[in-house]
Amino acid sequence: MAKVTIVGAGSVVFAKRLITDILSFPELKNTTFSLTDINQERLGTAEKMALRIVEENGGYAKVEATLNRREALAGADYVLNLIQVGMHQSTLIDFEIPKKYGLKQTIADTLGVGGIFRALRTIPVLLDICRDMEEVCPNALLLNYTNPMAMLMHAVAKSSSIKSIGLCHSVQNTADDLASYLNIPVEELEYKVAGINHMAWFLELKRNGVDLYPELFKAMEKDDVFSKDKVRFEMMRRLNYFVTESSEHMSEYTPYFIKDEKLIEQFDIPIDEYVRRSERNLERFSETKDKIERGEAFHTEKSHEYGAPIIHSMETGTNRVIWGNVLNTNLITNLPADSCVEVPCLINKSGIQPCHVGDLPVQLAAMNRTNINVQQLVVEAVLTGNIDYVYQAVMMDPHTASVLSLEEMWSMTNELLLAHEEHLPKFTSGRNLIKKELVQ
Amino acid sequence: MAKVTIVGAGSVVFAKRLITDILSFPELKNTTFSLTDINQERLGTAEKMALRIVEENGGYAKVEATLNRREALAGADYVLNLIQVGMHQSTLIDFEIPKKYGLKQTIADTLGVGGIFRALRTIPVLLDICRDMEEVCPNALLLNYTNPMAMLMHAVAKSSSIKSIGLCHSVQNTADDLASYLNIPVEELEYKVAGINHMAWFLELKRNGVDLYPELFKAMEKDDVFSKDKVRFEMMRRLNYFVTESSEHMSEYTPYFIKDEKLIEQFDIPIDEYVRRSERNLERFSETKDKIERGEAFHTEKSHEYGAPIIHSMETGTNRVIWGNVLNTNLITNLPADSCVEVPCLINKSGIQPCHVGDLPVQLAAMNRTNINVQQLVVEAVLTGNIDYVYQAVMMDPHTASVLSLEEMWSMTNELLLAHEEHLPKFTSGRNLIKKELVQ
Amino acid sequence: MAKVTIVGAGSVVFAKRLITDILSFPELKNTTFSLTDINQERLGTAEKMALRIVEENGGYAKVEATLNRREALAGADYVLNLIQVGMHQSTLIDFEIPKKYGLKQTIADTLGVGGIFRALRTIPVLLDICRDMEEVCPNALLLNYTNPMAMLMHAVAKSSSIKSIGLCHSVQNTADDLASYLNIPVEELEYKVAGINHMAWFLELKRNGVDLYPELFKAMEKDDVFSKDKVRFEMMRRLNYFVTESSEHMSEYTPYFIKDEKLIEQFDIPIDEYVRRSERNLERFSETKDKIERGEAFHTEKSHEYGAPIIHSMETGTNRVIWGNVLNTNLITNLPADSCVEVPCLINKSGIQPCHVGDLPVQLAAMNRTNINVQQLVVEAVLTGNIDYVYQAVMMDPHTASVLSLEEMWSMTNELLLAHEEHLPKFTSGRNLIKKELVQ
Amino acid sequence: MAKVTIVGAGSVVFAKRLITDILSFPELKNTTFSLTDINQERLGTAEKMALRIVEENGGYAKVEATLNRREALAGADYVLNLIQVGMHQSTLIDFEIPKKYGLKQTIADTLGVGGIFRALRTIPVLLDICRDMEEVCPNALLLNYTNPMAMLMHAVAKSSSIKSIGLCHSVQNTADDLASYLNIPVEELEYKVAGINHMAWFLELKRNGVDLYPELFKAMEKDDVFSKDKVRFEMMRRLNYFVTESSEHMSEYTPYFIKDEKLIEQFDIPIDEYVRRSERNLERFSETKDKIERGEAFHTEKSHEYGAPIIHSMETGTNRVIWGNVLNTNLITNLPADSCVEVPCLINKSGIQPCHVGDLPVQLAAMNRTNINVQQLVVEAVLTGNIDYVYQAVMMDPHTASVLSLEEMWSMTNELLLAHEEHLPKFTSGRNLIKKELVQ
């Protein structure tokens, strides 16, 4: 049966969800799970958790755990990536230094200064995993859950022969949100979605073939609906389409919401939101660990993540469609070829087959391009080792550019490069290489 | 419920198959079938046939029949095209005139002189149907079963706003053939297929993830296997891949098999095969008609045509993958953008979503391009009204070019243009326009 | 001999320059100049001016002047477009209304709110000229000098069969500037330039094959050099490349320089600069008119505009290279296909042949794309008549987005739409259509 | 001053022509010529010849000669490639073996079996030269004169960082031919040419802006004109356009002229023409050598080859247009991206800048594609080392396919692979690898 390797299995809560999902399919009950992490304590907890779920599901699956990543990858059919490079500590840096310069952030995991540095410290590790895979499981499929999704998958697609797909749940979650705003069962929604990760668009939204956008515009007029998703509704009002990531995320992908206090208040922008979430994640890990140690009852409910269904489709041939992040091989015709897009993908025994989308509405392609500008520069920085691209990525960031001067951006980037140094790739060229040394 | 219009419903045997397929789905039992044809007798038979199937399936569906095509199309959700312009009489011309010049053919419905003239007389009618659809059912999906598939769908995609897909059964049939040659249940075959209609390629052929091509090469060594499919096995020996259309078809898409008697004999090429099939079709219509008139028992078995499953997927949202013929929007990256390709398509409530394939192996792209050369010229001839493109299409045909001189090709084309005149589009430009008049 | 029609010939100063240039070529001395304008007074002055130049050049050329544009265009070989729709009055509106919202501008003729509305009022007139040309001189070449260059040429290329090229002098002027900063004769500079109009990049800058960028970075360190071109040097410091338009222009194409007073002061941004220039233009017209009336001596010096050399190359076959604005037929591979780019073009008897450039450095493509986002939306607004694209163009403008909230942008756009109404196209669709009516 | 290295300088007659051309430019009189060859005798003759020309041109230039290719290349600015791998002996094989199978050829240096094997033995040597250049003169421009042009330049562009251009004189020669058929001075012809090497098309042919094709069609009616260029006129009659290579070449790029004796006679096809030319080349070398040894008078007349003007333009900045063979970076939009096309190129200090052409007429693109099919397979064979592509290249050749059966093609290819073995690349994979061994 299939061997599923989970890299970063110490993300116990998310790993639990995926293992539960996989074992919910009878055809996958004999799966071998190979867990690996760099943190022994977390890996130990993950192993116990996995064994427990296997037991609750009849005991057919096999669990292995090892600190040796290469060993865990050897012979894998599927590799799930859940790593978080630098953990909470790096996240704090991502928020604190920009704040000194007056630059506020909400989630900072996708774009913006936070997203850029998260990518800079994560891409090298992910490419390292790919190098290992090329040697010990060259035909395995990499299913990535780590952010920033677009930059990571873009870097992998450009520099590794490993087949890969980036997975998120923002399409599913947004469908749930829309169903609730429209007061309709989510199963009745028919939709067409495409764009880039966290900024994909509901290009069509229908029930029984009838356009639901007029309803949604009406729903937005109600205060209780509008107040649940202010930024996304405001963007829909301007762009005519609803976007896949939440209001807190969307506010920092654009220059419209965080540049002054009045707007922050008007749109309820939760500054520093991810710092709080990151703290809660640490707590949840502790709680989960304690529960497992104490042998307490265990909540195992099937999620709507795409990972398990993909494995099921590839093993059994069941046709499924999921939204995946892949290289833009002319799938979205008015976004750059050199970018990573989120499009419907057919999954079956032939693997991942992304579907052709065509042109996005002009204004949506324009919004996506402002984000792709940043993404391309970050990927280029890592793949070429030229440090100038890091500064230029910051400079192209729509939110950062609306708040800081070029001089401030350069100083802030200098500081961040030093603060994150242990996790960053070794830069070898660029005019700014010298200046950085001077700062040191 | 959905309204399904069948244009050319007088193709009673095929129409019967599609109606049976549709009614085999419980969710489609209320379908309204609107039948139309230009032949009153055939339409009458089709109507009786349809009513009989409806009755056998519980009587929920509705049947309409009219000679007024526009009326039949009004408000349709799906339009199935089964027309055959010129019928048996035109087919005879397609074979007889070339034969006078020493040019033999087998099926003559896809490429070659026969395919070219079949396209020239069919495209104008099909575009006329599309014009009607644009007015009376602009959102309906056109499902085309008429040949030559690639040229027809190419012309529609280039000149109409109607959504369309071209459907064939060569992928399914070839899978059956391969299963029998390999002595394996067809359900166990895993394959990846792409190319152009009637010349698509089994790019992967596996069971349980293991490549079956070595087995197939071994099977070919056995005389009883080889003799069943000589041309396709010979082509596999040379190109390393198996093709989707039968040996009799394949022999006339290339310059390798019909250019001399020795080869015709060596590869058992059935010259004039389609003339015989066309005669049998006339007989089968008579038999079917008689049976219906006499109220005799009726054979209604579900087929493996894609038409009904597509309608089912679009109505219910069930994900399915089918091989469809669509415009090459960079789906196959080393075939021209201006061509019609056969690729896997995801079908669900969002309609037809063709999947990205990428590059074909170089030799397969090369073979496909020799056929696309002809197809583009035929489409150009109809869409521009320039008669020179007709002669040049004949000149580019690989089989014709291997047998005739340029002078012979021009004379033969002159004769064919005159013989088929009543069904052809009105040509308005081109150097050869004058010469043609001279012949008259 | 060639017939050269000048539309907007009332732009007397510029028309004088082009006529002088053309007559400086002996091979073009028999040119027929056909002048047209909507302003009788200006046209009269232009005619007298033209006759004077002809006289000074031996009297071989012929001059016609007519208010009937169609008559002027009939049989033309070259059409020079110099129109300015709305004149000084519209320019004032472009500056005054935004200023009420706190949005400052410098030139406002390329991008930003001013550029958007200049395009909205100019594209319809230019397309009207093209419609006339399609009928009365379908093979003539349109040489456009009116701004905003990129949007105008993009609209023409997308919707007319007329061959066209957009001409500017920013490449030549910037070469002069660079030569002076480097203290080198301009003839010794070797450069490779590409991008979009007013934001093209000196990709290579050499003398005798040796890179001059290190010299330029050194020159920038000198206060007297830096102070002459602060914004462009600052951008070079960040992006590593020098840009083709002046510091005053460049400051409003980006979000970095006008968003607060400190930056405006630091970089000497000349707010409202174009209002002053526009006033001076009116004065210069009066002076020129007076001189002509009084029969005073006349300054006729050859310029470095591309118009005359292009006509000379096309008439005589002399190979020349000029930088022209044309549709991006994969010339710059990492800018959108649906955009207008500025690239080297070969000119000879075969006409305009744009050269392939390839990928721009990633950061430069990113900067260009932020401007193309706006351009595409403006062109779409005019070609579709959908008013929403106007608001979305404003929303995508990098400078505007760094200063205003979405609500402010919408109000400002409402006001501008009303104030400019007489010159705008008739919008027929879009969600914002209703709101606009409400404002009225 | 510039260093020009001539590889294969032993092609004394051609080397003489290029050196003469270069020294005809005053600005290039100080050129250093570095001659290299693998044949000492020929190299010696070349050196003496070069010294003589230098002397006749004032003695400013410098001449070096060495058998050490790497030494000759070190520090070069321009590298002219004139090599002929296998010389006359290999040419004989290219003609003799196919003839045994009934396959006749005329020139056999571009396409067909002869062209394929010429490419197979030349590409490895040329790539080896490029490897050397990457190390000792990475910025030099490679100007290639060796055939088969398209396959060679395609292979170089796909696998080396060296800038390169392929040069031929078929455009210039054909212009001369056309001028003589039309009885017009060649300087008065205006033309637009594009396609692939030896099969590029006169897309426009004018004088004073007036189409000359009607004249050319009239001229063709005269027997004395037609008889000078039968194949090309016949192709023009069918395709409506004139092609750049001569009738003897063109006859073997298509399936229309050599497949039976009657056609060979009707069109005066000079079978084995190149064997005779190759013998004459050997004689001309002897004559030239003798003359040089005897110190006899020397014919040095400027040619119309592009090599020297390119060097002059790149050294002085003079704008020129030449037809060059380069990778198809969307220059001809309906030919494959993975091919080498012949298009107008602007030459100046910025180097080689190919111009955008757009779509060819459909029938011309179709003809080109039948040749590109073969070219891609040959390049793939060398770059991948897979022997199957060699057989498949033969199989795709239009002329070969019209004459031989697949079995005959395979046998003939087997024989040729053995006969040419010493010059061929080492093939490492492919189904036919085994069979070849069996033959041995």
Side-chain angles (χ1 to χ4, degrees), chain D residues 4-263:
Chain D
V4 175
T5 299
I6 305 185
V7 185
S11 299
V12 173
V13 180
F14 203 77
K16 188 181 74 162
R17 197 188 300 173
L18 295 176
I19 295 172
T20 303
D21 287 356
I22 291 170
L23 293 182
S24 75
F25 288 107
E27 296 94 334
L28 303 179
K29 66 178 178 181
N30 292 319
T31 301
T32 296
F33 294 98
S34 186
L35 313 179
T36 186
D37 204 295
I38 56 170
N39 180 316
Q40 183 140 28
E41 180 203 354
R42 282 182 168 262
L43 183 60
T45 304
E47 188 181 14
K48 284 177 197 151
M49 170 275 295
L51 286 166
R52 177 86 72 85
I53 303 175
V54 167
E55 195 182 320
E56 288 177 8
N57 280 276
Y60 302 99
K62 212 175 123 192
V63 175
E64 303 165 355
T66 169
L67 289 165
N68 184 329
R69 188 177 72 195
R70 215 178 161 76
E71 206 179 291
L73 290 171
D77 297 297
Y78 304 94
V79 176
L80 296 166
N81 179 44
L82 313 181
I83 63 170
Q84 201 201 142
V85 180
M87 301 293 289
H88 185 64
Q89 195 48 42
S90 292
T91 296
L92 284 179
I93 296 171
D94 285 345
F95 277 87
E96 293 311 321
I97 291 178
K99 201 183 289 176
K100 283 175 32 188
Y101 289 83
L103 183 65
K104 292 164 188 157
Q105 297 173 90
T106 54
I107 310 290
D109 71 342
T110 313
L111 208 77
V113 173
I116 290 168
F117 276 88
R118 183 171 285 262
L120 290 174
R121 61 184 185 266
T122 309
I123 293 173
V125 181
L126 187 55
L127 293 187
D128 222 44
I129 295 171
C130 287
R131 293 295 95 81
D132 278 357
M133 290 179 66
E134 287 163 12
E135 288 174 35
V136 302
C137 57
N139 297 315
L141 176 71
L142 172 65
L143 302 103
N144 178 62
Y145 274 105
T146 299
N147 274 327
M149 184 58 71
M151 302 194 211
L152 265 57
M153 300 322 288
H154 190 179
V156 167
K158 278 188 86 156
S159 62
S160 173
S161 61
I162 291 297
K163 279 168 291 175
S164 62
I165 187 158
L167 301 172
C168 184
H169 35 240
S170 51
V171 174
Q172 305 97 301
N173 287 353
T174 302
D176 286 343
D177 295 342
L178 288 170
S180 86
Y181 303 153
L182 289 162
N183 210 9
I184 284 177
V186 70
E187 301 73 34
E188 297 188 12
L189 286 187
E190 303 156 16
Y191 43 85
K192 214 166 163 175
V193 175
I196 59 174
N197 183 246
H198 289 191
M199 199 193 260
W201 311 96
F202 276 73
L203 302 173
E204 286 182 17
L205 183 64
K206 296 182 176 173
R207 183 167 55 168
N208 296 327
V210 180
D211 185 13
L212 286 170
Y213 264 115
E215 293 302 311
L216 193 60
F217 270 89
K218 251 183 254 163
M220 175 178 71
E221 298 306 316
K222 288 179 250 170
D223 265 8
D224 63 322
V225 171
F226 183 78
S227 67
K228 283 181 195 149
D229 224 343
K230 288 187 173 178
V231 169
R232 292 210 279 184
F233 278 123
E234 175 71 1
M235 289 304 279
M236 179 178 84
R237 192 200 308 280
R238 309 308 179 183
L239 296 172
N240 299 349
Y241 292 89
F242 207 79
V243 76
T244 49
E245 244 315 328
S246 60
S247 278
E248 51 269 35
H249 275 87
M250 191 64 185
S251 66
E252 64 181 5
Y253 305 158
T254 68
Y256 310 121
F257 299 99
I258 319 188
K259 68 190 162 204
D260 73 41
E261 286 306 318
K262 231 173 34 205
L263 290 165

Side-chain angles (χ1 to χ4, degrees), chain A residues 213-214 217 234-240 255-257 259-260 262-263 266-267 334 336 338 361-367 369-370 372-374 376-377 380 386 388-389 391-392 395-397 400-410 430-432 435, chain C residues 213-214 217 234-240 255-257 259-260 262-263 266-267 334 336 338 361-367 369-370 372-374 376-377 380 386 388-389 391-392 395-397 400-410 430-432 435:
Chain A
Y213 264 116
F217 270 89
E234 176 71 0
M235 289 303 279
M236 179 176 86
R237 191 200 309 279
R238 308 308 179 183
L239 295 172
N240 298 349
Y256 310 120
F257 299 100
K259 69 189 161 205
D260 72 42
K262 231 172 37 205
L263 290 165
Q266 180 185 349
F267 289 99
N334 56 356
D338 183 32
V362 194
Q363 71 276 26
L364 305 185
M367 282 300 299
R369 277 190 220 119
T370 64
I372 289 170
N373 282 347
V374 180
Q376 286 185 338
L377 283 157
E380 209 68 12
N386 186 319
D388 291 354
Y389 293 125
Y391 294 83
Q392 291 160 351
M395 173 184 175
M396 295 300 158
D397 181 59
T400 305
S402 77
V403 172
L404 302 186
S405 71
L406 288 166
E407 220 169 304
E408 289 162 338
M409 292 181 213
W410 253 246
R431 274 182 210 283
N432 292 279
K435 291 181 205 142
Chain C
Y213 264 114
F217 270 89
E234 175 72 0
M235 288 304 278
M236 180 178 84
R237 190 199 310 280
R238 309 308 179 181
L239 295 172
N240 299 349
Y256 309 121
F257 299 98
K259 69 189 162 205
D260 72 42
K262 231 171 36 206
L263 290 164
Q266 181 186 349
F267 289 100
N334 56 357
D338 184 32
V362 194
Q363 73 276 25
L364 306 185
M367 282 300 299
R369 275 190 221 118
T370 64
I372 290 170
N373 282 347
V374 180
Q376 286 184 339
L377 283 157
E380 207 69 10
N386 186 319
D388 291 354
Y389 293 125
Y391 294 83
Q392 291 161 352
M395 172 184 176
M396 295 300 158
D397 181 59
T400 306
S402 78
V403 172
L404 302 185
S405 71
L406 289 166
E407 220 169 303
E408 288 162 339
M409 293 182 214
W410 254 245
R431 274 182 211 285
N432 292 279
K435 291 180 205 142

Side-chain angles (χ1 to χ4, degrees), chain B residues 177-198:
Chain B
D177 296 341
L178 289 169
S180 84
Y181 302 152
L182 289 162
N183 210 8
I184 284 176
V186 70
E187 301 72 32
E188 297 187 11
L189 287 186
E190 303 156 17
Y191 44 85
K192 214 166 162 175
V193 175
I196 58 173
N197 183 245
H198 288 191

Side-chain angles (χ1 to χ4, degrees), chain D residues 344-379:
Chain D
C345 296
L346 167 69
I347 318 286
N348 54 29
K349 287 222 171 183
S350 296
I352 312 286
Q353 297 177 78
C355 296
H356 181 75
V357 170
D359 270 1
L360 295 183
V362 193
Q363 72 276 25
L364 306 183
M367 282 300 298
N368 284 163
R369 275 189 221 121
T370 65
N371 284 219
I372 290 171
N373 283 347
V374 180
Q375 295 164 2
Q376 286 185 337
L377 283 157
V378 172
V379 171

